């Protein structure tokens, strides 16, 4: 049964219904229905997500919402916050499913992949400048990062999900983010040491302002 | 593994958006709803919430989830 009053509750009413040792069953059911509808819109164009998946995602999302309800700051609608939590749950599950059991050692990237950034810059001078910046970035990855930082950067570039990456590096998501942040700061410094300023880096992607 | 030029370009985009102080993905989850509602209402996010926007520039996963939140909220 789909409950129709799910989004008419106030934040206080949601919290009153859910923030108890034994949450009110109507509130839990409303939350599950609301999350399932939202996730259905999120995955509307995905053929690899069926109704059974949506049920599972919604159920797991309800549990996650209840587990972290104390972190709701009250500066948004409760439903928006719960939906964000539900999306995190569902996306994490989908990324894990897509990634499978591949490990960091299995990462394989096609070497002949061409770059849109390169194709978008027919001017040989611009192309050369960007190639130089990319070469410097490769050198910085190889020489300026710790092995763990390099693994995080390369794993993230290959699309490896955070949960799997953290598991393989025997760390957690927050520590992984710090590793990635520290790596980015080192790479920026490494580029500067190789004669490239921040605008050069941006030009790799967006093109020079003088193009 | 050797990153492609396209991947290096994506990394360069992230480097351009890197700030000395950033919030992590867990912290983003706590305040992305408020950031979303502020941006949907045309309100300039507070300095606190602006850090969510900065995070979205450098974190493809959180950006993907934010875009999903936009889609999921479209029918509410």
């Amino acid at each position: 049964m789909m409950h129709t009053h799910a989004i008419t509750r106030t934040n206080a009413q949601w919290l009153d219904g859910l923030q108890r040792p034994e949450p009110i069953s109507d509130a839990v059911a409303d939350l599950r229905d609301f999350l399932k509808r939202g996730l259905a819109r999120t995955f509307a164009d995905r053929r690899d997500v069926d109704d059974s998946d949506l049920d599972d995602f919604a159920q797991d999302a309800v549990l996650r919402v209840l587990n972290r309800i104390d972190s709701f700051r009250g500066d948004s609608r409760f439903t928006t916050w719960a939906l964000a939590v539900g999306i995190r749950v569902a996306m994490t599950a989908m990324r894990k499913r897509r990634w499978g059991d591949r490990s960091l050692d299995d990462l394989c990237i096609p070497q002949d992949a061409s770059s849109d950034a390169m194709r978008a810059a027919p001017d040989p001078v611009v192309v050369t400048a960007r190639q130089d910046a990319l070469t410097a970035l490769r050198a910085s990855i190889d020489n300026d990062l710790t092995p763990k930082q390099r693994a995080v950067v390369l794993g993230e570039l290959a699309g490896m999900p955070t949960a799997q990456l953290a598991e393989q590096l025997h760390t957690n998501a927050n520590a992984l983010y710090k590793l990635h942040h520290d790596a980015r700061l080192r790479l920026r410094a490494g580029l500067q040491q190789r004669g490239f300023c921040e605008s050069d880096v941006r030009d790799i992607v967006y093109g020079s302002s003088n193009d | 593994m050797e990153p492609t030029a396209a991947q290096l370009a994506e990394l360069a985009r992230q480097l351009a958006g890197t700030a000395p102080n950033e919030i992590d993905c867990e912290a983003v989850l706590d305040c992305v709803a408020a950031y979303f509602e502020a941006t949907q209402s045309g309100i300039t996010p507070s300095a606190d919430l602006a850090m969510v926007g900065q995070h979205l520039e450098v974190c493809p996963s959180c950006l993907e989830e934010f875009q999903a939140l936009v889609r999921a909220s479209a029918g509410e």
Side-chain angles (χ1 to χ4, degrees):
Chain A
M1 170 181 161
M2 203 60 102
H3 297 250
T4 57
H5 58 286
I7 60 170
T8 61
R9 291 168 187 261
T10 64
N11 284 0
Q13 288 169 330
W14 276 114
L15 293 174
D16 182 54
L18 298 171
Q19 211 169 22
R20 301 175 177 212
E22 289 293 329
I24 296 173
S25 58
D26 269 5
V28 174
D30 286 349
L31 178 62
R32 185 169 51 243
D33 289 345
F34 170 77
L35 290 172
K36 185 178 175 183
R37 286 199 304 275
L39 293 172
R41 286 191 292 277
T42 293
F43 294 115
D45 58 349
R46 296 281 294 264
R47 287 191 217 167
D48 55 343
V49 177
D50 60 22
D51 196 60
S52 170
D53 291 324
L54 293 175
D55 279 331
D56 291 344
F57 293 158
Q59 185 62 34
D60 291 345
V62 166
L63 295 176
R64 184 71 63 87
V65 166
L66 294 177
N67 280 340
R68 64 180 298 143
I69 201 165
D70 288 343
S71 68
F72 174 57
R73 309 185 331 165
D75 54 359
S76 70
R77 286 179 295 167
F78 176 81
T79 47
T80 308
W81 175 80
L83 199 48
V85 173
I87 287 169
R88 171 71 57 90
V89 168
M91 287 285 190
T92 300
M94 289 299 296
R95 289 175 190 134
K96 186 173 184 181
R97 182 191 295 182
R98 189 172 58 215
W99 190 257
D101 295 326
R102 280 183 289 166
S103 75
L104 274 172
D105 297 333
D106 298 331
L107 294 183
C108 180
I109 290 179
Q111 293 301 303
D112 59 348
S114 57
S115 162
D116 289 341
M118 295 303 173
R119 281 201 299 269
D123 182 338
V125 175
V126 174
V127 169
T128 302
R130 291 180 188 176
Q131 282 176 336
D132 288 348
L134 289 174
T135 299
L137 186 49
R138 282 182 201 273
S140 188
I141 291 171
D142 289 341
N143 298 301
D144 299 335
L145 301 182
T146 67
K148 256 191 172 179
Q149 287 173 336
R150 193 175 306 116
V152 170
V153 167
L154 296 180
E156 195 272 339
L157 283 180
M160 191 170 194
T162 300
Q164 277 69 35
L165 200 46
E167 186 180 325
Q168 295 199 17
L169 292 174
H170 308 291
T171 185
N172 59 46
N174 285 349
L176 198 71
Y177 191 85
K178 183 164 189 331
L179 267 173
H180 197 264
H181 181 231
D182 290 344
R184 281 184 275 118
L185 292 174
R186 279 199 184 196
L187 291 173
R188 273 171 54 149
L191 282 171
Q192 285 171 359
Q193 285 171 1
R194 290 169 177 81
F196 293 89
C197 64
E198 196 175 311
S199 62
D200 296 321
V201 178
R202 279 199 294 267
D203 288 347
I204 294 172
V205 184
Y206 301 114
S208 165
S209 57
N210 296 322
D211 282 358
Chain B
M1 152 189 153
E2 187 74 11
T4 65
Q7 289 176 320
L8 290 174
E10 166 58 19
L11 178 59
R13 189 191 64 75
Q14 293 177 16
L15 295 185
T18 295
N21 297 305
E22 297 181 358
I23 56 175
D24 62 31
C25 305
E26 280 301 297
V28 165
L29 187 57
D30 288 337
C31 45
V32 70
Y35 175 81
F36 166 74
E37 290 183 356
T39 55
Q40 292 295 107
S41 305
I43 299 169
T44 303
S46 63
D48 188 24
L49 291 182
M51 294 190 81
V52 175
Q54 187 277 329
H55 181 96
L56 297 180
E57 287 184 31
V58 299
C59 181
S61 295
C62 286
L63 179 61
E64 182 184 32
E65 291 171 15
F66 181 77
Q67 291 166 337
L69 183 60
V70 173
R71 284 197 301 276
S73 302
E76 286 300 325

